[in-house]
Amino acid sequence: MTRTHGRTLARSLITTALFIAPALVVRIVGLHPNPVVALVIYGAAVVAASFLLAWAAEAAQIDVSGGLAIAVLALIAVLPEYAVDLYYAYTAGHNPDYVQFAAANMTGSNRLLMGVGWPVVVLVGLWVARKMSGRKAGSMALDPGNRVELGFLLIAGVVAFVIPVTGQIHLVLGVALLAWFGFYLYKMSRGEVEEPDLIGTAAALGALSVRARRSSVMALFVIAGGVILMCAEPFAESLIGAGTQLGIDQFLLVQWLAPLASEAPEFIIAIIFASRGNGTAAIATLISSKVNQWTLLMGSLPIAYIAGGGGTALVLDGRQVEEVLLTATQTMMGIALILALRFHRYTALALLALFVVQFPITSTDGRLVLCGVYAVLALIGFVVNRRHVAVTLRAPFRSAEVADDTADEPALAR
């Protein structure tokens, strides 16, 4: 490892330690600060721990298969969000007031990822491509291997409509989604080990000797995981308390602030990759994150609910059903418009615009209209890209790599 790598690693670890230390002190000593202060303290620790996880997961790509590395990286990067969401679901098992927060965090994280993460990475990637080539790039080509992830997401997305139809997340559905995620990891593990393009702190970790790298990666996983477990409960509670104190809708605060804090490192890393001309890898990571959220996260909620003392189904109220329906239709739109493995500028702008538009819409009728807009765009995407639907549905079950079938893409994908 070079001296530069050593300085980078030391600086990053010291910086994250400075943000984590106050939360550990407050938690261990047993202090109970003002909810807003607690939100800042614990939120900073969660974000810092998220960076530790992201760096370690990136460096771990050196030792595992490329597809599995992306899947695991995407999973680990959002573990803080999972910890908070599962805490809400567990608590809802014996306190029904918390049911709304479990659904809020889950739908918020999903829509934030597809409504902001995907578009921003693509737009940055296209901007960089234009600077490098001198020509305006209208779309970003996805890797043919992403067909598998899209297939997993498409099938999970269709199944997820069971939730708004029944008004609940049943244990049977949860187990099915967890099994689907397990199959997804198995498929991703079949790829070959590829040399990753590491940057910053992850590159410094990757430059260590094999033994030192693996020990450091494991240590960071353990430390970050311990910090997240220690901070998950007070962070989740401080979100609710801060909402009351500041007069902000608690549902909205949980729905957007918690996912934003936990996913910030992943977004930043993906944007950095896109800014370096590797937008395809960046969007692949975020697509994998969406698969994780729409399978593992959602499937875990009824199990956490049962563990907390609840029944076999996490029953949702009308507002939560609307939120799940909105998230499901957004998911189908996003998938439908990139079935040809081309992520166009207008698709990114549409996802971003519809994400922003939702905030002033507070009525049930307004949300249903927005769901309709997502559904119509999804239908158009499926019709125009109909040649890619069957091959995408088959992709998760194929043993060989799916061939690149984008040569004769339909007009919408050009």
Side-chain angles (χ1 to χ4, degrees), residues 56-390:
E58 280 192 275
Q61 293 181 72
I62 296 174
D63 301 304
V64 295
S65 70
L68 180 61
I70 288 178
V72 173
L73 170 61
L75 169 62
I76 292 174
V78 293
L79 278 181
E81 173 194 323
Y82 283 35
V84 172
D85 212 354
L86 292 180
Y87 167 75
Y88 285 134
Y90 174 83
T91 307
H94 51 271
N95 185 348
D97 292 339
Y98 280 72
V99 173
Q100 60 174 321
F101 300 129
N105 196 45
M106 183 269 290
T107 55
S109 62
N110 271 273
R111 295 217 298 277
L112 184 67
L113 179 61
M114 182 172 276
V116 176
W118 286 23
V120 170
V121 165
V122 171
L123 294 174
V124 170
L126 293 178
W127 177 73
V128 171
R130 181 178 183 179
K131 284 188 63 179
M132 295 174 64
S133 66
R135 295 180 301 174
K136 184 176 181 179
S139 65
M140 176 186 293
L142 301 182
D143 188 274
N146 295 143
R147 176 77 66 196
V148 177
E149 291 155 311
L150 286 177
F152 274 98
L153 184 56
L154 176 56
I155 293 172
V158 172
V159 171
F161 278 95
V162 171
I163 298 174
V165 170
T166 61
Q168 61 183 12
I169 308 176
H170 198 277
L171 176 62
V172 173
L173 176 61
V175 171
L177 290 173
L178 291 179
W180 189 235
F181 175 75
F183 182 49
Y184 167 67
L185 284 185
Y186 167 76
K187 291 291 291 187
M188 292 297 101
S189 69
R190 310 301 289 175
E192 298 180 355
V193 176
E194 300 177 2
E195 188 68 26
D197 181 18
L198 303 180
I199 56 176
T201 306
L205 284 170
L208 296 170
S209 65
V210 174
R211 183 174 181 179
R213 180 181 66 246
R214 292 176 178 174
S215 298
S216 298
V217 165
M218 289 303 300
L220 289 179
F221 282 154
V222 172
I223 293 171
V227 170
I228 290 166
L229 288 176
M230 185 174 291
C231 295
E233 178 182 351
F235 178 60
E237 292 292 347
S238 64
L239 278 169
I240 299 172
T244 301
Q245 183 172 325
L246 298 175
I248 301 174
D249 188 324
Q250 295 174 335
F251 186 95
L252 294 178
L253 196 62
V254 170
Q255 185 174 41
W256 301 118
L257 185 57
L260 184 61
S262 60
E263 292 191 11
E266 183 183 19
F267 282 4
I268 292 171
I269 291 171
I271 291 171
I272 290 175
F273 270 112
S275 68
R276 297 181 64 197
N278 199 3
T280 300
I283 193 62
T285 301
L286 296 187
I287 291 174
S288 186
S289 292
K290 179 68 176 178
V291 176
N292 291 335
Q293 291 185 352
W294 214 225
T295 55
L296 179 61
L297 177 58
M298 190 183 300
S300 300
L301 293 182
I303 295 177
Y305 181 66
I306 291 174
T312 57
L314 185 62
V315 180
L316 309 179
D317 62 23
R319 169 71 181 277
Q320 296 161 56
V321 169
E322 295 167 15
E323 294 289 341
V324 174
L325 181 61
L326 190 57
T327 307
T329 51
Q330 181 209 45
T331 300
M332 299 310 290
M333 170 195 162
I335 297 170
L337 295 181
I338 62 173
L339 279 177
L341 298 183
R342 307 290 301 186
F343 206 130
H344 285 264
R345 183 188 306 275
Y346 63 74
T347 299
L349 292 174
L351 283 170
L352 186 60
L354 289 173
F355 176 82
V356 173
V357 163
Q358 70 182 300
F359 289 101
I361 299 177
T362 58
S363 67
T364 296
D365 290 341
R367 292 194 189 93
L368 292 179
V369 169
L370 187 54
C371 288
V373 173
Y374 277 127
V376 169
L377 292 174
L379 181 60
I380 293 173
F382 281 123
V383 170
V384 176
N385 292 326
R386 58 189 177 277
R387 185 172 69 84
H388 305 285
V389 174

